[in-house]
Structures are given as C-alpha cells and as structure tokens.
C-alpha cells in the first residue's frame, strides 16, 4: 500500500516528534518509497529546521521520495 505524505507528517517524522506508534508506522512507509506532492516538497524545503543535521535529513528524505 502506498501513502501520500503531508508536509506536517514529513517534518514531524524527520524531527522525531510523532508518538511512538506514528514513528513506527512511518518507519515502515519510509522503508518503501515515500510519496509526497510537489507542494509538500516545496513546503518542506522551505521549513526552518533548527540544525544542519535536520536539514540534511529532510533533503535526503525528499531525494528518496517519489514526487507527484
């Protein structure tokens, strides 16, 4: 099953601020090819991450995602 991930889900996943169950579900989704919209890609790229590590994780995540 494929999921189209929302901006808030992507950001909260990357900064590990989801509840444990949400993180576990997203881990299984991310193990396959995540799918995001072009709007989610743009919003995520424009998000002001607190650290360079968070920024790099986001860029890696988007690069590994299918963008619709």
């Amino acid at each position: 099953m494929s999921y189209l991930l929302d901006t808030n889900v992507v950001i909260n996943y990357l900064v590990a601020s989801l509840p444990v169950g949400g993180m576990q579900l997203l881990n299984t989704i991310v193990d396959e090819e995540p799918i995001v919209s072009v709007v989610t890609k743009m919003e995520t790229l424009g998000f002001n991450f607190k650290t360079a590590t968070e920024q790099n994780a986001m860029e890696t995540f988007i690069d590994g995602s299918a963008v619709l």
Side-chain angles (χ1 to χ4, degrees):
M1 180 177 285
S2 298
Y3 296 90
L4 180 64
L5 302 177
D6 177 71
T7 304
N8 292 330
V9 171
V10 171
I11 291 169
N12 289 329
Y13 174 72
L14 293 174
V15 298
S17 66
L18 294 173
V20 173
M23 290 299 292
Q24 291 172 340
L25 174 62
L26 265 290
N27 284 334
T28 60
I29 293 169
V30 172
D31 285 344
E32 298 179 19
E33 184 178 39
I35 303 170
V36 297
S37 71
V38 68
V39 173
T40 295
K41 178 181 178 177
M42 291 170 39
E43 290 174 342
T44 306
L45 288 171
F47 185 77
N48 187 20
F49 286 95
K50 295 177 184 174
T51 68
T53 301
E54 288 177 353
Q55 181 76 27
N56 290 336
M58 181 278 305
E59 291 171 356
T60 300
F61 181 87
I62 293 297
D63 288 344
S65 299
V67 179
L68 304 178

